Amino acid sequence: MPTTTARPVALPSCTSYAAPDPKRPVLTADVTVNGRSVVGTERFVFTPDLAVSELVLRLWAAAPVPSKYGSKQAVTSVTVDGSARTPRRTSPTVVTVPYSGAAGKRMTIDVGFTLTLPVGADERWGNRGTTSWFASGMPLLPWESGHGWDVEPATTQFAEASTSPEMRLDRLTVHHASGLAVLATGRTVGQNATTLVTSAPAVRDVAVAVGPFRLARSTGSTRAIVGVMSGLPDSASTIAQETQAHLKRHVARYGPFPYEQVSIVVLPDISGGIEYPGVIFMSTRQDRDATLSHELGHEWFYGLVGDDQARDPWLDEAFATMAEALDRGTASSYTPLAAVPAAVRGKAGEPMTYWEGRTYYFRGVYVQGAGALLRARATNPRLFDAQLRCYVAHNAHRIATPADVAKDLTVAVPALRNVGAIPR
Ligand SMILES: [Zn+2]
């Protein structure tokens, strides 16, 4: 009797991440944090890959939601290659600077800025007493290689609308009152009672938290540091251990942790979590729900594989939600079609401008996108996981688009088309 053996599916094998762009911007920043006040300077050494007719900076702390809680952000000076330029505020979150230059021409941009942190905003900026935190708190250079400046408007959803290329963080210096701890993006390269200095080879944004934190550390696949604001009940050491457990499972699926360490900061006022490269802000007791796992998933999907969060919010949220579901064994809460309200079915790929003022952003993007990915995975988990690993490897250190997903994660294309994440 002839026997038939199922032919093994050829799985793609991607074992290492694409290297960071050698021409990525280099950022040097110096900030002084004192209660609600942040005053700083930053220097970008920037080589655009396209000709530019102006320079653009984004001031995300001046978006409508933090502004309602007293946030203010301003650019106080700009020089380009040593000569002063007059910055112009063209919208609350956009500053343009006169400049024109050819593709490939390197420039040095020096920016002075001030930031007044809001109080009581459920946001990435905040202050309570001597505890201060901010992320996307320094003017950002919203450059997308091959595309140009990203100037989409801010959103009033609990969401990001920013784009930023990866940068080499040459040096981040944080000055603060003595007696306080600092957790910030990057690896610590210098520290005394009132100053922390960090650096990082490739990060697309920076987060900083200063305060009277209870600290705990853990080591495993990566070094984790947890800071809990005094007065909050969370156990820093428990969260540090839980972080390792989540990371172990994420690393096994997507590849090595993209940064030299991760800091988790437990803060007041936030409900939910907010991801930044190597830093996560979250609220009290949120290691008990999906937040910690979800935000750690973003270190690959948003951090390592970047996206334009205003144009393609599903690219980071659907994948981080999928990561959280696989990590915690909760896929069944995302896969039923009934989990997505009829009004937003087929809208998973819509930009933040579509979601402005609409309900069901979470279910339309997070749940619908993750549901599609998880349904696709269920058809062939080994192929899905291998292809996903290739998507991460090929798009590491870049800003990905839905077309990049379609190219690598072919097993999920029909499901993603069905929910409107990838154009038909
Ligand atoms: Zn998220």
Side-chain angles (χ1 to χ4, degrees):
M1 282 255 311
T3 53
T4 53
T5 342
R7 186 196 290 253
V9 179
L11 298 178
S13 170
C14 296
T15 50
S16 58
Y17 298 146
D21 180 354
K23 289 189 174 166
R24 64 194 178 283
V26 178
L27 172 64
T28 311
D30 187 293
V31 293
T32 300
V33 183
N34 182 7
R36 291 184 64 192
S37 164
V38 180
V39 179
T41 58
E42 52 185 356
R43 165 173 285 188
F44 298 98
V45 178
F46 174 49
T47 310
D49 58 315
L50 304 171
V52 291
S53 55
E54 62 180 4
L55 304 181
V56 178
L57 296 164
R58 296 305 302 261
L59 277 55
W60 290 109
V65 174
S67 297
K68 218 164 70 184
Y69 294 87
S71 180
K72 291 187 174 62
Q73 192 178 19
V75 165
T76 51
S77 65
V78 178
T79 69
V80 182
D81 295 331
S83 53
R85 307 270 167 162
T86 307
R88 204 161 67 87
R89 192 109 173 200
T90 53
S91 90
T93 62
V94 176
V95 164
T96 61
V97 178
Y99 179 89
S100 64
K105 184 172 181 292
R106 193 170 84 145
M107 68 187 87
T108 300
I109 310 168
D110 284 291
V111 180
F113 68 93
T114 58
L115 167 62
T116 304
L117 297 171
V119 176
D122 175 7
E123 271 291 2
R124 69 215 66 192
W125 311 273
N127 166 254
R128 289 284 175 183
T130 55
T131 301
S132 307
W133 64 97
F134 57 92
S136 299
M138 309 193 295
L140 265 187
L141 202 62
W143 185 257
E144 185 176 349
S145 276
H147 177 81
W149 300 114
D150 281 318
V151 290
E152 294 97 336
T155 174
T156 56
Q157 297 277 4
F158 184 69
E160 301 87 0
S162 71
T163 314
S164 174
E166 270 203 338
M167 300 172 280
R168 181 160 72 77
L169 181 62
D170 185 49
R171 200 177 164 84
L172 166 68
T173 306
V174 182
H175 306 280
H176 58 90
S178 66
L180 301 178
V182 186
L183 297 171
T185 294
R187 182 172 62 89
T188 300
V189 294
Q191 190 164 23
N192 64 34
T194 58
T195 306
L196 176 80
V197 184
T198 68
S199 78
V203 290
R204 57 185 81 252
D205 205 341
V206 168
V208 175
V210 174
F213 301 127
R214 293 193 305 282
L215 297 173
R217 290 176 171 78
S218 63
T219 50
S221 60
T222 195
R223 189 168 53 233
I225 305 173
V226 177
V228 176
M229 185 186 158
S230 66
L232 295 178
D234 305 70
S235 158
S237 59
T238 301
I239 295 173
Q241 292 314 314
E242 290 165 346
T243 297
Q244 294 302 338
H246 293 304
L247 284 177
K248 195 175 169 191
R249 293 186 289 265
H250 287 337
V251 164
R253 287 202 174 90
Y254 316 118
F257 190 73
Y259 308 105
E260 290 161 298
Q261 63 178 48
V262 63
S263 299
I264 316 289
V265 196
V266 180
L267 294 162
D269 297 328
I270 297 173
S271 63
I274 302 164
E275 74 282 4
Y276 275 87
V279 177
I280 286 162
F281 294 164
M282 66 177 194
S283 184
T284 179
R285 298 291 164 101
Q286 286 203 284
D287 58 321
R288 297 179 178 188
D289 60 29
T291 303
L292 181 58
S293 174
H294 177 97
E295 307 308 339
L296 288 167
H298 274 303
E299 300 295 308
W300 284 265
F301 304 108
Y302 150 74
L304 180 63
V305 177
D307 59 315
D308 179 333
Q309 295 175 301
R311 187 182 62 213
D312 306 310
W314 78 273
L315 275 187
D316 59 286
E317 294 304 353
F319 282 98
T321 305
M322 174 210 70
E324 151 216 322
L326 294 174
D327 175 16
R328 302 175 75 242
T330 55
S332 61
S333 48
Y334 299 109
T335 45
L337 292 171
V340 181
V344 294
R345 284 188 198 153
K347 302 291 186 189
E350 294 292 336
M352 288 316 301
T353 46
Y354 172 85
W355 297 106
E356 189 59 29
R358 281 178 206 259
T359 44
Y360 304 133
Y361 165 62
F362 175 76
R363 288 204 268 169
V365 173
Y366 291 56
V367 174
Q368 183 163 221
L373 291 168
L374 292 162
R375 282 193 298 276
R377 185 178 185 275
T379 66
N380 191 339
R382 288 181 64 223
L383 180 62
F384 181 98
D385 290 353
Q387 289 190 342
L388 179 58
R389 215 167 152 117
C390 286
Y391 165 70
V392 172
H394 294 155
N395 293 285
H397 305 293
R398 279 150 186 79
I399 292 170
T401 64
D404 294 316
V405 177
K407 208 161 134 190
D408 279 316
L409 197 57
T410 56
V411 66
V413 167
L416 291 169
R417 282 206 177 115
N418 272 336
V419 299
I422 287 179
R424 281 175 190 275

